[in-house]
Amino acid sequence: MRAPEPGVGSRSRAVHAGLNFIERMGEAMMRNPRLHARYGSDLLLPFTIRRPAQTNEEAHALDVAARLATGWRSRHAGRVLPPDTPPSQLLDLMQGLYALKSLGLSEGGLR
């Protein structure tokens, strides 16, 4: 987890604290199969970050998003969906793949 640079204001500290909280909760969710199955891709959707990151906060958000996306991607790598896959699972997978693409992390065989 990236810490704010020395001398930064309370807004920056609050942003870093919030992102660190999202990362901890996301990691806990990824470890829980039931929660991951229901909400896994939802963790990735809020991260729309300019590249290259313009601020320390954006750089930290990109780091958090990349770590969560890597965890999500590793859980879905090699996954084959049966023909009768419920729409909710298809939506979850599509949302996750969209988030990976938006973050520039779509390589790696998932499509």
Side-chain angles (χ1 to χ4, degrees):
M1 289 182 219
R2 184 181 292 202
E5 294 176 5
V8 298
S10 60
R11 179 180 178 274
S12 182
R13 284 193 301 274
V15 168
H16 277 79
L19 288 166
N20 291 341
F21 174 79
I22 290 169
E23 183 174 20
R24 285 191 310 274
M25 292 301 104
E27 289 170 347
M29 189 178 291
M30 294 289 184
R31 288 189 299 267
N32 182 317
R34 186 172 173 206
L35 289 176
H36 175 73
R38 180 153 181 162
Y39 303 110
S41 67
D42 293 343
L43 287 170
L44 306 177
L45 291 176
F47 292 100
T48 303
I49 303 152
R50 294 181 288 194
R51 284 189 179 259
Q54 302 295 314
T55 66
N56 188 21
E57 291 82 7
E58 289 175 352
H60 184 50
L62 191 55
D63 290 345
V64 168
R67 285 191 292 272
L68 291 173
T70 299
W72 185 92
R73 182 173 51 196
S74 69
R75 297 275 309 246
H76 293 277
R79 184 175 177 194
V80 176
L81 299 176
D84 61 344
T85 300
S88 61
Q89 286 184 15
L90 291 174
L91 177 62
D92 181 64
L93 186 62
M94 289 186 319
Q95 286 177 331
L97 294 173
Y98 173 78
L100 290 177
K101 184 174 181 173
S102 296
L103 290 166
L105 301 170
S106 60
E107 73 277 0
L110 286 177
R111 293 187 190 259

